Amino acid sequence: MLKIEILKVLKRKLNYIYFVFLLLVSGLSAYKYQSIINCLEVDFETYLYNYVLKVLLILVAFILGLNIIFSYREDYKTKVNNIIYNSKVTNFSNIFSKLLVNFINFTLYYFLILAINLAYFHYIKIFDLISFLKNVNYLYSLGLACAILLFVANFVLFILSMFNNTNLAVAISLLFFAGSKYVVAYLVSFNNIFKYLKYTFTDIHNIAIAQIFLEQKNTLLLTIITLIINSLILFLLSLILKWLKQK
């Protein structure tokens, strides 16, 4: 299954379009940084960590989710799902291969474009790349970025395991990531017990994005662990749903 997923990623033209799009957006944010900073009325450090790196991560996470959904749609259109079913591939192998290949692919996208941006800022002497790499908090933030992408991939696979309709999966995923923060805040306003929802998949991604490149390593490590635990739970739920649907 891994070989099939890797070939699908390599053959899918949209993947190359995604990369070019991300490269253009990040390139524009780097090349026109002074104009954007003046418009936002922030200093360079705030612009880099609160805007450039966070927006890049959110874009990569968004495209990662779409790519997994489109991958499922292609499986049905090209009858790959029939081949998978007839070859008796286990649900674990099927879901895990999609998760692993897409996660690695888009994590590489993120780090490659991130490296290009930071190298450019270092080249024009407004950013010290060496100091960035020596800062433990920033390294933990990069680990948190990986955990966020892993969580997004697992959540989208969970939604796809629940609903076979890819259009519905896109709509639910967008609504969830855009509005879950407000739903949790609304519930907390009724009863304080709902504050513990922030440690579950309903709100942990919002906390993670707010913390990245801003918090200390201990706080970041706790969030990374929480994200990984939630990702594992979503992965297991996806397997259970697949198993129940086959009964």
Side-chain angles (χ1 to χ4, degrees):
M1 273 308 299
L2 276 174
K3 290 181 179 178
I4 293 174
E5 289 300 326
I6 291 169
L7 287 172
K8 282 164 61 179
V9 166
L10 292 174
K11 288 184 67 177
R12 193 176 298 124
K13 293 178 181 178
L14 274 176
N15 280 325
Y16 302 101
I17 296 173
Y18 293 151
F19 181 74
V20 172
F21 169 74
L22 291 169
L23 202 58
L24 286 173
V25 170
S26 62
L28 184 64
S29 67
Y31 183 69
K32 292 290 185 181
Y33 79 93
Q34 193 60 62
S35 300
I36 301 173
I37 285 174
N38 293 337
C39 181
L40 295 172
E41 297 181 348
V42 295
D43 57 32
F44 174 76
E45 189 170 322
T46 303
Y47 170 67
L48 178 63
Y49 297 119
N50 282 13
Y51 292 92
V52 176
L53 302 188
K54 279 190 180 181
V55 170
L56 176 60
L57 177 61
I58 292 169
L59 282 175
V60 171
F62 173 72
I63 295 173
L64 165 63
L66 285 181
N67 197 63
I68 292 174
I69 292 170
F70 291 153
S71 176
Y72 259 83
R73 180 179 290 177
E74 285 179 9
D75 284 354
Y76 283 96
K77 283 184 177 180
T78 58
K79 306 300 181 183
V80 171
N81 61 312
N82 292 335
I83 297 171
I84 294 170
Y85 180 79
N86 293 327
S87 62
K88 305 298 181 182
V89 173
T90 63
N91 288 329
F92 176 85
S93 179
N94 186 16
I95 295 174
F96 181 73
S97 58
K98 285 185 185 297
L99 171 67
L100 184 63
V101 172
N102 282 283
F103 169 70
I104 292 175
N105 182 44
F106 283 91
T107 300
L108 288 174
Y109 276 13
Y110 178 69
F111 280 104
L112 180 57
I113 297 172
L114 179 77
I116 292 171
N117 262 31
L118 296 182
Y120 173 76
F121 288 133
H122 181 81
Y123 174 74
I124 60 176
K125 302 186 186 306
I126 59 169
F127 173 78
D128 189 352
L129 183 58
I130 306 301
S131 297
F132 176 86
L133 295 174
K134 288 181 178 179
N135 191 312
V136 177
N137 294 326
Y138 292 154
L139 295 180
Y140 271 83
S141 288
L142 294 178
L144 181 56
C146 293
I148 290 170
L149 294 176
L150 180 65
F151 172 83
V152 169
N154 272 291
F155 179 81
V156 172
L157 285 168
F158 168 69
I159 294 298
L160 284 166
S161 299
M162 188 179 296
F163 307 102
N164 289 328
N165 189 314
T166 53
N167 290 327
L168 186 60
V170 171
I172 291 174
S173 298
L174 287 174
L175 284 171
F176 174 79
F177 288 113
S180 60
K181 176 173 65 176
Y182 304 105
V183 173
V184 171
Y186 181 71
L187 291 172
V188 171
S189 67
F190 276 104
N191 194 314
N192 204 41
I193 195 170
F194 288 111
K195 68 181 181 181
Y196 296 107
L197 285 174
K198 69 180 182 180
Y199 300 113
T200 69
F201 71 91
T202 55
D203 199 37
I204 187 62
H205 56 286
N206 293 314
I207 293 172
I209 291 172
Q211 289 179 352
I212 195 166
F213 297 113
L214 296 176
E215 292 291 343
Q216 299 298 309
K217 65 178 183 179
N218 292 336
T219 304
L220 294 169
L221 180 59
L222 179 61
T223 306
I224 290 170
I225 292 170
T226 309
L227 271 172
I228 291 173
I229 291 171
N230 277 277
S231 295
L232 286 172
I233 292 170
L234 288 170
F235 182 78
L236 290 173
L237 288 174
S238 299
L239 288 176
I240 292 168
L241 285 170
K242 283 286 187 181
W243 178 74
L244 289 174
K245 284 186 176 182
Q246 290 179 346
K247 291 294 180 181

